[in-house]
């Protein structure tokens, strides 16, 4: 993955799960990584670990639902490493899981603030920097929930459907500037999010056996693939790891 060498990648939600694995994987393949999340101690510890292995890494506390934080994050990446080539809009929440009639309106809105506005803020502040530098790649972490209907997930389904539309619009606006925007729908992944889903017991996803979830490292590998030249053909779309074709394209075992 020569194309990652010396590139600067911002990863939101990098304190655990898919974001942590992605930061580690991109760094192992030569990228400078900027880890963002609310848990400052966790991202600092991961960034130190990455740095000790010889890669460029920096951590900055950031609540993606706060646009000032997100603006500062992109400026920090640019000033620390001199460019901003890759943005992984990964931070996301699903809790609290509840049917519409039982849901708390404040908590419902918080999911939209993080999952939708957070993705918009990321693109809003990364795109001008990428445009000045001649292009970049933005990957918005999507979900099968973007085009399915799952009980208890009204907030999450609505948020991921909105992210899919944001991906499409950003692609239309910026593909001509060399900015490739795409979604990645990973299927179910073995992270804390799936632990919460299982505990809810609400819909068929909560009944899945843990052995059916893929590893965070597989998702990280697919993200790295999408950052390369082959990824450009998926611009404006959601690339899915739930298909045999998607898995094989990313160099993963087929279904
Ligand atoms: P996870 O292990 O729960 O990690 C979520 C990450 O998001 C954490 O690093 C968390 O960090 C961060 N985050 C949450 N709210 C934030 C905020 N306001 N500002 C900044 N960071 C915030 O979940 P995951 O499974 O890795 O999920 C990552 C992404 O993949 C999400 O977008 C999720 O919707 C998507 N996804 C997951 C699955 C799955 O099966 N796991 C499937 C499809 C899609 P802090 O708490 O430290 O802020």
């Amino acid at each position: 993955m020569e194309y990652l060498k010396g590139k600067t990648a911002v990863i939101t939600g990098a304190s655990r799960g898919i974001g942590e694995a992605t930061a580690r994987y991109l760094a192992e393949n030569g990228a400078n990584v900027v880890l963002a999340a609310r848990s400052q101690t966790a991202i600092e510890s991961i960034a130190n670990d990455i740095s000790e292995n010889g890669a460029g890494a920096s951590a900055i506390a950031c609540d993606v639902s706060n646009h000032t934080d997100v603006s500062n994050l992109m400026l920090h990446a640019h000033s620390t490493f001199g460019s901003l080539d890759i943005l992984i809009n990964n931070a996301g929440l699903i809790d609290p899981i509840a049917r519409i009639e039982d849901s708390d309106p404040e908590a419902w809105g918080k999911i939209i603030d993080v999952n939708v506005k957070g993705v918009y803020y990321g693109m809003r502040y990364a795109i001008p920097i990428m445009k000045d530098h001649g292009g970049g790649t933005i990957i918005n972490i999507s979900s099968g929930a973007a085009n399915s209907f799952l009980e208890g997930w009204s907030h999450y389904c609505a948020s991921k459907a909105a992210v899919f539309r944001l991906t499409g619009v950003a692609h239309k606006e910026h593909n001509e500037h060399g900015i490739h925007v795409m979604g990645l729908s990973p299927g179910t992944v073995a992270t804390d999010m799936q632990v919460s889903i299982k505990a809810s017991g609400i819909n068929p996803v909560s009944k899945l056996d843990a052995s059916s979830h893929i590893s965070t490292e597989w998702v990280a590998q697919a993200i790295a693939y999408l950052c390369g030249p082959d990824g450009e053909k998926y611009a404006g779309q959601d690339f899915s790891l739930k298909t045999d074709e998607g898995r094989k394209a990313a160099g993963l075992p087929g279904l």
Side-chain angles (χ1 to χ4, degrees):
M1 291 181 176
E2 283 294 311
Y3 55 82
L4 287 173
K5 292 219 160 62
K7 293 280 164 56
T8 301
V10 169
I11 302 105
T12 68
S15 60
R16 58 179 188 269
I18 293 169
E20 175 183 357
T22 301
R24 291 185 185 278
Y25 194 87
L26 296 180
E28 277 163 22
N29 285 282
N32 297 312
V33 291
V34 178
L35 295 92
R38 294 165 303 172
S39 308
Q40 188 161 4
T41 310
I43 50 174
E44 278 174 355
S45 156
I46 298 162
N48 284 340
D49 199 32
I50 292 172
S51 301
E52 278 167 16
N53 287 319
S58 178
I60 177 166
C62 171
D63 180 340
V64 297
S65 66
N66 178 320
H67 60 80
T68 305
D69 277 12
V70 179
S71 172
N72 288 339
L73 165 64
M74 302 310 163
L75 295 172
H76 172 82
H78 186 238
S79 65
T80 305
F81 294 115
S83 67
L84 172 49
D85 308 290
I86 296 165
L87 167 62
I88 312 300
N89 263 324
N90 165 76
L93 295 172
I94 198 165
D95 276 323
I97 293 169
R99 292 173 189 280
I100 293 172
E101 63 189 321
D102 304 321
S103 61
D104 169 18
E106 290 293 329
W108 202 99
K110 177 71 185 162
I111 302 298
I112 302 303
D113 289 345
V114 173
N115 294 12
V116 182
K117 291 187 192 172
V119 168
Y120 157 71
Y121 295 150
M123 296 200 291
R124 168 64 184 84
Y125 294 110
I127 284 170
I129 301 174
M130 289 180 171
K131 214 168 148 183
D132 280 352
H133 285 258
T137 299
I138 298 176
I139 299 177
N140 297 325
I141 303 303
S142 185
S143 163
N147 43 42
S148 59
F149 314 100
L150 286 148
E151 311 92 301
W153 289 18
S154 63
H155 53 350
Y156 191 75
C157 291
S159 73
K160 292 298 184 180
V163 168
F164 179 60
R165 293 297 170 206
L166 281 170
T167 297
V169 173
H171 165 67
K172 281 221 157 174
E173 291 180 353
H174 296 291
N175 200 46
E176 64 181 307
H177 304 122
I179 300 173
H180 306 295
V181 186
M182 63 209 84
L184 168 63
S185 182
T188 62
V189 189
T191 68
D192 289 357
M193 188 174 278
Q194 283 297 337
V195 175
S196 296
I197 290 167
K198 178 144 251 5
S200 75
I202 286 191
N203 63 39
V205 184
S206 73
K207 314 289 184 212
L208 291 174
D209 191 82
S211 63
S212 65
H213 305 326
I214 66 168
S215 73
T216 55
E217 286 74 21
W218 280 22
V219 185
Q221 185 176 325
I223 286 172
Y225 163 72
L226 290 175
C227 291
D230 287 351
E232 292 173 18
K233 59 177 173 279
Y234 305 105
Q237 306 168 34
D238 269 359
F239 176 86
S240 175
L241 284 180
K242 280 181 84 174
T243 67
D244 194 51
E245 183 195 10
R247 288 207 185 167
K248 285 182 176 157
L252 298 168
L255 285 172

